[in-house]
Amino acid sequence: MAGRGVQLDETQRRDWLRLIRTENVGPRAFRNLVNRFGGAAAALEALPAMARRGGGLFPPRIPSVSEIEAEMEALARLGGRFIALGEPDYPALLREIDDAPPLIAVRGRLPLLNRPTVGVVGSRNASGAGRTMTARIARGLGEAGWVVASGLARGIDTTAHEASLASGTIAVIAGGQDRPYPRENEALMARIAEEGLVLTEMPMGWEPRARDFPRRNRLVSGLSLGIVVVEAAERSGSLITARLAGEQGREVFAVPGSPLDPRAGGANALIQQGAGLVTSARDIIEALAPLREHLGARSMEEPAGELADEEPSEDTRSRIVTLLSPSPMKVDDLVQLSGASVAEVLIVLLEIELAGRLERHSGGSVSLL
């Protein structure tokens, strides 16, 4: 993968976009492929053979050069651009997460991407008290020099963006840059694209689906030093964001609410589990001050590739595949039980993933589809 400070040329950027837009290639597979083959162009050539070895009946669909150029031109017409992992404008904190998107499509004020950021999320069906608290927190964070990130959803997200528009806000969306969602926030998204920043990893023309929102949530937390949950029911997407934040090593905060209001159940549960209790922006600012001071000193070196140059033997492949099932299994356990090296297991898993037969779970587990 490109090291921090590297600038892709347009041919490399096009190849990166072709690879990440290829069927069955997600951020982790992208990273493994580029590390193994030394670049996106070589990885694209190797994909069909790898998918066959993984049991795929057909090679994964790779977008044509013309399709990718059309997407790049469409984004440029909106005033946006693609930033690649490792380029100077790529958000430093986002780059640290395991499944950082290789390319992000952005519109707006690029300097916001590398300012200290707090994510503010909560209920779509927010109460008046919840909205008022959100606005106070967002304004307080903005006055102290923090950028506020959220997901452009109804309710708490909308209030967080509106209250921080003047000081700096980032809207992370689950669809393409040309697909505002929800439609009622189309005007707000346009304002953020002018005064703040809109970010997505999804293709132009992409209409968000239910499974795209957790993917978006990991970017909200990945951009942020901490996540604040204002209102959230006990089964809320905001709790997914909080869980992802914890897995990413981010701080988690929550605003307490009445036990009689189901919209407060999830936030209250987070506090019981150890999240920081928030009554004002000052609580967040003071807790994150040490992290903000050391933000510039954090190491942003790209992890070295772990994939071996030699192909695993058929016997090794067979042992690894036999151990897999529809039940999630940790990769570390797969290495131990198969007797194969870490590099060999990663290659076989990558081949199965390219064939569309592997599902990755949080915590480093995998299962067969």
Side-chain angles (χ1 to χ4, degrees):
M1 294 283 288
R4 184 160 176 78
V6 170
Q7 194 78 33
L8 299 187
D9 62 35
E10 286 311 298
T11 299
Q12 291 172 318
R13 198 178 308 276
R14 183 194 66 201
D15 290 339
W16 274 44
L17 198 54
R18 286 186 73 201
L19 183 57
I20 193 57
R21 297 290 188 249
T22 294
E23 184 182 20
N24 302 328
V25 175
R28 289 189 181 92
F30 180 100
R31 181 179 300 213
N32 287 335
L33 285 164
V34 171
N35 282 339
R36 177 160 170 73
F37 295 103
L44 287 165
E45 292 182 8
L47 279 177
M50 292 190 73
R52 280 197 302 273
R53 287 195 295 270
L57 297 178
F58 304 98
R61 185 186 181 280
I62 301 173
S64 67
V65 171
S66 61
E67 287 175 307
I68 291 304
E69 288 179 342
E71 180 179 354
M72 296 173 76
E73 291 167 3
L75 179 60
R77 284 195 297 272
L78 282 181
R81 56 173 285 203
F82 287 103
I83 302 174
L85 184 68
E87 292 187 321
D89 287 331
Y90 195 94
L93 280 177
L94 184 61
R95 191 173 187 269
E96 291 184 343
I97 70 174
D98 290 339
D99 51 356
L103 288 153
I104 52 175
V106 299
R107 289 191 293 154
R109 295 166 52 202
L110 295 184
L112 294 178
L113 290 172
N114 278 298
R115 279 178 49 191
T117 300
V118 172
V120 179
V121 297
S123 173
R124 288 177 171 82
N125 181 31
S127 69
R131 286 175 176 266
T132 299
M133 190 65 181
T134 299
R136 289 179 180 176
I137 289 172
R139 281 195 295 267
L141 288 168
E143 290 168 0
W146 291 83
V147 172
V148 171
S150 197
L152 200 68
R154 301 178 183 93
I156 297 300
D157 288 21
T158 295
T159 302
H161 288 307
E162 290 173 341
S164 59
L165 195 56
S167 55
T169 194
I170 298 175
V172 185
I173 60 174
Q177 284 278 4
D178 56 345
R179 291 293 185 269
Y181 185 89
R183 286 292 176 182
E184 66 200 60
N185 276 349
E186 184 171 358
L188 176 60
M189 179 172 161
R191 286 189 65 198
I192 296 172
E194 290 290 330
E195 303 174 47
L197 186 129
V198 180
L199 180 153
T200 184
E201 65 180 324
M202 305 309 286
M204 294 291 286
W206 189 269
E207 294 285 355
R209 305 158 301 176
R211 62 184 176 183
D212 296 325
F213 294 102
R215 292 183 61 179
R216 175 208 60 189
N217 294 349
R218 90 187 194 286
L219 301 185
V220 174
S221 55
L223 286 164
S224 307
L225 279 171
I227 287 288
V228 185
V229 178
V230 179
E231 283 185 335
E234 292 187 356
R235 298 194 176 204
S236 163
S238 298
L239 298 189
I240 296 175
T241 309
R243 174 179 60 78
L244 293 169
E247 292 174 357
Q248 293 167 349
R250 309 310 194 229
E251 298 297 314
V252 178
F253 304 90
V255 174
S258 169
L260 300 178
D261 188 344
R263 289 171 293 196
N268 289 343
L270 286 174
I271 294 169
Q272 289 178 317
Q273 295 160 17
L277 188 152
V278 171
T279 59
S280 71
R282 178 57 52 192
D283 297 327
I284 304 158
I285 293 164
E286 290 178 354
L288 293 180
L291 298 177
R292 180 175 180 173
E293 290 174 6
H294 293 93
L295 182 60
R298 296 167 78 116
S299 172
M300 297 298 166
E301 291 304 309
E302 189 67 32
E306 298 180 354
L307 300 186
D309 291 332
E310 296 183 5
E311 295 292 340
S313 67
E314 288 307 312
D315 180 58
T316 299
R317 275 197 178 87
S318 178
R319 291 201 310 274
I320 295 169
V321 173
T322 299
L323 289 167
L324 291 168
S325 75
S327 299
M329 182 180 192
K330 288 190 175 297
V331 174
D332 290 346
D333 294 338
L334 192 57
V335 171
Q336 183 178 5
L337 292 171
S338 67
S341 69
V342 173
E344 288 174 323
V345 169
L346 291 178
I347 289 171
V348 174
L349 292 179
L350 181 56
E351 292 170 346
I352 298 171
E353 186 174 8
L354 292 173
R357 301 174 55 220
L358 188 79
E359 182 174 3
R360 294 189 182 271
H361 307 271
S362 61
S365 296
V366 294
S367 64
L368 285 180
L369 290 171

